[in-house]
Amino acid sequence: MSMFISTRDDNKDLSVTFKHAMLNPNPPQGGLYTFSKLPLFSQEMLQSFQNLSYKQLCERLFSSLNLNLNPNLLQQALQSYNSFDNPTNPAPLHTLSKNLFMLNLHSGPTRAFKDMALQPFGVLLSSFAKTNKTPFMILAATSGDTGPATLQSFANKDYIKVVCLYPDGGTSDVQRLQMTTQESKNCKVIGIKGDFDDAQSALKHLLANKDFIHKLNNLGISLSAANSVNIGRIVFQIVYHFWAYMSAVKNGNITFGEKLSIVVPSGNFGNILGAFFAKKMGLPIHKLVVASNVNTILSDFINTGVYDISFRHLIKSKSPAMDILKSSNVERMLYFFFGAKRTKELMENLATQGKYSLLDSELALVREDFSAMSCDDTQCLQSIAECFKNGYVLDPHTAIGYFVAKNLQQKGVIGKSIFLATAEWSKFAPSVNTALAQGQILESSQNICDEEAIKTICAKANCTISKQITDLFSKDEVQKDVLDVAKLESCIIEWLKTF
């Protein structure tokens, strides 16, 4: 059985099972749970993956990771992909040119890549709670996509209560509506006065707050989380990188064994962490490329070895789901390279000084695997217009991945590459409309609303979007709370007392 260990204390006696790490994502030693060991696949084993279905591939990988999941339960969890556009190919690969490919991760019910992990994750966690006959409260903090996917996954599940925190004014209108129109009685949505970093910090504080946990326990409730602080999210995010590579082989884009680079528009580092683990398991990946928006914290870190938020203020961008300065999952990468003692030292420096710096030798090790580049809003919108002319409508996050992939290819940093399409454009239609107007593809329209922008773009692109999105505009917003962070705890406790 695979054991999971804290990123800040590698005492094997304190390691836990996958189930324990999922249910209790906050290690008592601090840090995050991560793999104590990863399997390394031979070329022969990797070749055997080529003819597997997506569900079979997930089963094979989870078996190799020794997660010790009941096979019937995993089968049940993987049935959640039946709600995707194509259940047999939930993550289709598209060819944009001879050397550039796009992995569509937004064909699930909330039209964002978070569905790839959170749909099956929800089945597993709610089953664990039901088996244990222990009610759980699931916390989620969102920059726009985790929240809707979590609510969709856990709505009306037995033994589960969900509290979702989002930055008021910090998401797109569609993302907000996906949360505020949620009618399930077991779901509570709270807008907070602040940005995503404030929401994520509030989540981490609640997970570690012994007084809050004691109050929950007095109500007979245990606490877990759906953010990528939960290792249960990350394990599912490993799978589609293997799927992307095997799809490129089957499509004739590459020959087996040929290396590909993976370009990820990244804010919280969870998506690219899945690719990092896949590479360490033997998948032929050349470079893992972090594509940043105007909040360049991650690209600066990969390029300089300095993670410094002491002087930064979060910039609101056209790609709001990436408007993040405190990227949680970097810690798991640091642990893999440098171990618990060094990781703890670096993370304590971040907490006390707002920054940390890698040694030159440490940065060299990171850069063997990673490259990085940023993309500003102007470049992002230009990329949307450029791709539209080639038959693809990209959202402002995917466009950043496209821009960085194309530019690093031109510079010779990477060769054949896959960039990840992380959200459907309909979730950010006004920004896409602005891009197409600036590119003289549509007439300029100032302050256009989401619904009107979607109709305009659909007419121009001769396409339709999912009913899950169009239905939002006729629903009532029933989740109306917007609070200071200081009032979160009392609000949550009072809500739980109503059950």
Side-chain angles (χ1 to χ4, degrees):
M1 185 189 302
S2 187
M3 302 304 285
F4 291 80
I5 202 157
S6 166
T7 50
R8 302 190 197 180
D9 188 340
D10 49 16
N11 181 348
K12 296 292 191 291
D13 293 338
L14 299 176
S15 60
V16 301
T17 64
F18 176 65
K19 179 179 178 179
H20 181 96
M22 264 190 75
L23 290 173
N24 307 277
N26 203 48
Q29 314 94 298
L32 302 171
Y33 280 121
T34 193
F35 298 98
S36 59
K37 184 181 180 183
L38 287 170
L40 180 61
F41 296 122
S42 65
Q43 289 296 294
E44 292 74 23
M45 178 67 82
L46 289 170
Q47 278 190 292
S48 73
F49 295 167
Q50 289 182 71
N51 298 317
L52 300 178
S53 69
Y54 193 90
K55 293 172 184 175
Q56 289 170 334
L57 177 63
C58 187
E59 289 169 337
R60 184 74 65 85
L61 291 173
F62 280 22
S63 174
S64 298
L65 288 167
N66 290 317
L67 300 184
N68 199 36
L69 288 172
N70 180 297
N72 292 332
L73 175 57
L74 181 56
Q75 273 281 338
Q76 183 186 341
L78 296 176
Q79 293 305 308
S80 60
Y81 291 125
N82 291 345
S83 66
F84 283 56
D85 292 349
N86 181 351
T88 63
N89 188 3
L93 188 71
H94 301 279
T95 301
L96 272 72
S97 69
K98 185 177 72 171
N99 293 320
L100 188 59
F101 321 106
M102 178 175 73
L103 186 68
N104 174 355
L105 296 176
H106 55 72
S107 67
T110 72
R111 317 313 289 178
F113 82 93
K114 303 295 174 70
D115 288 327
M116 294 296 300
L118 276 166
Q119 293 306 306
F121 172 92
V123 175
L124 291 186
L125 205 152
S126 55
S127 175
F128 293 156
K130 193 172 183 179
T131 300
N132 291 357
K133 290 187 167 48
T134 304
F136 269 82
M137 190 187 81
I138 311 300
L139 273 176
T142 186
S143 56
D145 288 330
T146 291
T150 301
L151 295 165
Q152 169 82 19
S153 183
F154 286 107
N156 299 312
K157 289 280 199 301
D158 293 337
Y159 290 91
I160 297 292
K161 308 287 186 290
V162 180
V163 173
C164 177
L165 313 177
Y166 74 96
D168 182 44
T171 70
S172 75
D173 285 349
V174 165
Q175 288 173 317
R176 189 194 77 251
L177 287 170
Q178 286 181 312
M179 293 181 279
T180 58
T181 60
Q182 176 56 250
E183 296 177 337
S184 300
K185 300 299 183 188
N186 70 324
C187 296
K188 177 73 172 173
V189 177
I190 305 172
I192 67 158
K193 296 174 182 177
D195 55 35
F196 171 72
D197 285 337
D198 296 317
Q200 183 163 253
S201 294
L203 175 139
K204 289 182 176 179
H205 172 74
L206 290 172
L207 286 173
N209 186 330
K210 292 179 180 177
D211 180 59
F212 177 64
I213 293 169
H214 180 69
K215 289 175 182 175
L216 291 180
N217 292 342
N218 284 344
L219 294 170
I221 296 171
S222 294
L223 180 63
S224 190
N227 277 56
S228 56
V229 297
N230 195 313
I231 193 68
R233 276 274 306 278
I234 300 299
V235 294
F236 283 105
Q237 289 180 260
I238 295 171
V239 181
Y240 50 72
H241 297 289
F242 279 90
W243 180 254
Y245 186 89
M246 300 308 158
S247 296
V249 173
K250 285 187 279 189
N251 293 353
N253 301 128
I254 58 171
T255 56
F256 183 82
E258 189 176 354
K259 288 192 173 183
L260 274 172
S261 291
I262 306 287
V263 183
V264 184
S266 192
N268 212 22
F269 209 76
N271 214 352
I272 200 164
L273 183 74
F276 174 71
F277 286 147
K279 181 177 184 182
K280 294 307 174 185
M281 291 162 72
L283 193 66
I285 295 174
H286 173 222
K287 285 290 185 182
L288 303 156
V289 181
V290 173
S292 294
N293 68 2
V294 290
N295 293 290
T296 59
I297 185 70
L298 285 176
S299 53
D300 290 347
F301 171 61
I302 297 298
N303 287 323
T304 68
V306 178
Y307 198 109
D308 189 351
I309 59 174
S310 64
F311 68 95
R312 293 179 188 255
H313 297 284
L314 198 74
I315 303 168
K316 288 193 173 184
S317 75
K318 294 291 186 183
S319 45
M322 294 163 63
D323 290 347
I324 298 169
L325 293 180
K326 297 176 184 176
S327 300
S328 290
N329 284 292
V330 173
E331 182 166 348
R332 288 183 168 118
M333 181 266 284
L334 295 174
Y335 173 82
F336 188 94
F337 280 130
F338 312 125
K341 183 179 178 182
R342 178 61 169 152
T343 300
K344 185 176 182 180
E345 178 185 344
L346 294 172
M347 299 313 295
E348 286 179 349
N349 286 347
L350 184 66
T352 57
Q353 301 168 31
K355 61 184 176 180
Y356 61 82
S357 299
L358 300 182
L359 302 173
D360 288 346
S361 58
E362 292 172 336
L363 176 60
L365 196 59
V366 170
R367 288 187 56 80
E368 284 181 16
D369 287 321
F370 289 91
S371 292
M373 185 178 183
S374 63
C375 169
D376 64 29
D377 278 352
T378 299
Q379 295 162 330
C380 170
L381 296 182
Q382 288 171 345
S383 296
I384 291 172
E386 180 182 316
C387 271
F388 189 90
K389 292 173 182 176
N390 294 322
Y392 292 93
V393 190
L394 303 188
D395 86 285
H397 306 78
T398 304
I400 287 172
Y402 166 79
F403 173 86
V404 169
K406 185 186 69 170
N407 277 270
L408 289 184
Q409 282 184 336
Q410 290 171 351
K411 293 179 178 181
V413 176
I414 56 177
K416 287 186 177 181
S417 303
I418 294 171
F419 68 96
L420 304 192
T422 55
E424 185 178 82
W425 65 266
S426 62
K427 302 186 81 169
F428 308 93
S431 292
V432 176
N433 188 87
T434 298
L436 299 183
Q438 290 178 0
Q440 300 184 321
I441 297 165
L442 291 175
E443 289 185 16
S444 181
S445 182
Q446 297 297 317
N447 300 319
I448 191 170
C449 70
D450 285 54
E451 187 174 16
E452 192 59 38
I454 287 171
K455 289 177 181 176
T456 303
I457 296 163
C458 281
K460 186 68 177 179
N462 192 26
C463 68
T464 58
I465 60 164
S466 66
K467 198 169 181 293
Q468 293 104 318
I469 299 295
T470 54
D471 284 353
L472 289 171
F473 301 108
S474 59
K475 291 184 175 181
D476 291 331
E477 292 191 65
V478 295
Q479 306 267 4
K480 298 180 179 179
D481 285 346
V482 177
L483 303 174
D484 290 320
V485 170
K487 296 181 179 178
L488 277 178
E489 183 178 329
S490 59
C491 176
I492 293 168
I493 295 296
E494 288 307 308
W495 175 67
L496 290 172
K497 286 179 179 178
T498 65
F499 287 92

